Amino acid sequence: MGRHMVHASISKRAATEVGGRHGTPVVLVVDANRMSDDGFVFCRSEDGVFLVERIPLEYVSRCVRQ
């Protein structure tokens, strides 16, 4: 898709809306606070989406299929 960063949302609703643009969305619940504490840097795009270089699996607590 040509993207170089992981796109993240702060709510399940927003993630579902964005993910639904490209098929059936799958929402991952991520401990972003712990990631930040561990040194991962999140940026915020002009449209309010949070961007991060990667999300290692140890920060993912569950997967919700819509």
Side-chain angles (χ1 to χ4, degrees), residues 25-36:
V26 175
V27 177
L28 302 176
V29 178
V30 175
D31 189 343
N33 288 325
R34 187 164 60 101
M35 283 184 66
S36 181

Side-chain angles (χ1 to χ4, degrees), residues 1 10 14 27 34 38 41 45 47 53 55 59 64:
M1 294 185 65
I10 60 171
V27 177
R34 187 164 60 101
D38 290 348
V41 177
S45 69
D47 60 354
E53 188 173 307
I55 299 176
Y59 298 98
V64 180

Side-chain angles (χ1 to χ4, degrees), residues 1 9 12-14 35-36 40 44-45 56 62-63:
M1 294 185 65
S9 303
K12 180 181 173 185
R13 186 190 62 139
M35 283 184 66
S36 181
F40 287 87
R44 193 165 191 179
S45 69
R62 67 178 186 214
C63 172

